[in-house]
Every structure is written in C-alpha cells, then in structure tokens.
C-alpha cells in the first residue's frame, strides 16, 4: 500500500466513531460532558443516565418535566446536571463535575420522546491522572475504540480492497 493510502487508512481507522457508542477520557477533578442528542422536533418526556454496575443505577433522571433526585445514586448528587436544562435542540448531554476515579465506567443515556420514539447511547468514561503519559497525544480525542461495528466492518472492507488492489497493481 502506498504511503498516502496507508496514512489515509490509518486516519480513517483512528478517527471513526459510531453515533450510539463513544469513548471519553477525563482527568481527575475535571468537568466532563457526556454527549447525548435526540431529535429536537419532538418533546422529551424521560431522560435516564445510568450505570448498570451501580446500585442505585441512576446517575441522573428527568421525568414528567423535572429532574427526579430521589432515584439518583448518592455518589452523583450535586455533581451532575444536563448540559441544557431546557433540552433545546435535543441536547440531553450530561455534565459531570469533579470527576473521580470511581466515575470510570459505562454510562447509558436513555431518552423517551413519545410512546414510539426511544433512543439509547453508550458512553465509556475513562478517568486518568492529570498529565498521564497514556493520554492520547493525537490532539483530536479520537481513539480506535470509538469505532462502532458498522465502521469496523467498513474499515476491514477498505483494508481488504486496498490489499487486493495493491496485489492486482503489482502484477
């Protein structure tokens, strides 16, 4: 494979992501936004941010027009809020303040907009020490782990096509 084609392939592999699965890295003590968006033309009736490894599992709950702190895990009280409390433009992203190592995990954003419209998104949050050498040095925040199954299949198909094309070209 030629150098420009290989570079393009690696960039595609590195920065591809899926709309329903995202990896986020935050440093201890940081404020981080866990992204989640829905259609803005349908009103939101339920927003549930949860972690299944917790009991109670809810990080943030919004039902019937207001937040419901009674169902919230105590570790997140007074540390989470919606990016846009009005949920304008479908933004139901969660702001997590003063990130701790215990915040590391798999978050699920579940949004109900009507009886027939529901959306879920998975966010993997990794927490590191500030200035950790293992942090992505690429600057773009993309990691191979962001790639969803459809993107990985596309990347494999692209790689196979490139190898076959290279073999045919060499002959």
């Amino acid at each position: 494979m030629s150098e420009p084609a290989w570079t393009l392939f690696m960039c595609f592999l590195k920065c591809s992501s899926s709309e329903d699965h995202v990896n986020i890295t935050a440093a201890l003590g940081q404020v981080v936004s866990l992204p989640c968006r829905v259609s803005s033309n349908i009103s939101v009736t339920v927003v549930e941010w949860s972690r299944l490894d917790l009991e109670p599992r809810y990080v943030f709950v919004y039902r019937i027009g207001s937040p419901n702190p009674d169902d919230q895990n105590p570790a997140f009280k007074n540390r989470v809020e919606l990016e846009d409390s009005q949920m304008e433009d479908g933004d139901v992203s969660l702001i997590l303040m003063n990130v701790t190592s215990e915040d590391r995990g798999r978050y699920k954003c579940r949004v109900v907009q009507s009886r027939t419209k529901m959306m879920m998104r998975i966010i993997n949050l990794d927490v590191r020490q500030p200035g950790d050498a293992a942090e992505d040095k690429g600057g773009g925040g993309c990691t191979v782990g962001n790639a969803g199954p459809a993107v990985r299949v596309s990347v494999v198909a692209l790689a196979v096509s490139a190898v076959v094309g290279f073999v045919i070209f060499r002959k």
Side-chain angles (χ1 to χ4, degrees):
M1 193 181 300
S2 69
E3 185 64 30
W6 180 251
T7 303
L8 179 62
F9 170 72
M10 291 307 293
C11 182
F12 178 75
L13 178 66
K14 181 175 172 44
C15 293
S16 296
S17 67
S18 169
E19 281 301 310
D20 60 351
H21 185 94
V22 173
N23 292 332
I24 302 284
T25 301
L28 287 172
Q30 220 181 18
V31 174
V32 67
S33 176
L34 306 181
C36 192
R37 297 187 73 82
V38 294
S39 298
S40 60
N41 57 348
I42 304 172
S43 65
V44 172
T45 55
V46 175
V47 176
E48 295 173 342
W49 277 94
S50 61
R51 273 190 35 204
L52 297 180
D53 63 326
L54 298 176
E55 190 57 45
R57 68 179 180 191
Y58 292 110
V59 173
F60 179 88
V61 179
Y62 171 94
R63 289 190 187 114
I64 313 167
S66 64
N68 187 346
D70 296 337
D71 293 334
Q72 187 179 37
N73 186 297
F76 293 94
K77 288 204 186 275
N78 301 316
R79 290 197 314 125
V80 293
E81 60 188 36
L82 291 182
E83 178 103 25
D84 178 5
S85 61
Q86 303 302 311
M87 294 176 275
E88 293 176 5
D89 300 324
D91 189 358
V92 292
S93 301
L94 185 76
I95 300 296
L96 174 57
M97 296 167 264
N98 193 24
V99 171
T100 70
S101 58
E102 289 79 27
D103 294 332
R104 178 180 292 117
R106 187 176 184 164
Y107 292 77
K108 179 171 76 170
C109 172
R110 180 178 167 270
V111 182
V112 178
Q113 289 185 282
S114 69
R115 287 184 177 177
T116 59
K117 182 133 173 90
M118 186 195 72
M119 188 278 304
M120 281 195 307
R121 185 170 204 192
I122 303 296
I123 310 291
N124 290 314
L125 178 62
D126 189 19
V127 179
R128 299 199 172 128
Q129 294 288 335
D132 188 342
E135 289 183 49
D136 180 24
K137 293 182 175 17
C142 296
T143 62
V144 175
N146 281 358
V151 173
R152 283 191 287 269
V153 169
S154 298
V155 169
V156 170
L158 177 65
V160 169
S161 298
V163 170
V164 170
F166 178 71
V167 170
I168 292 170
F169 177 74
R170 294 283 290 191
K171 287 184 177 185

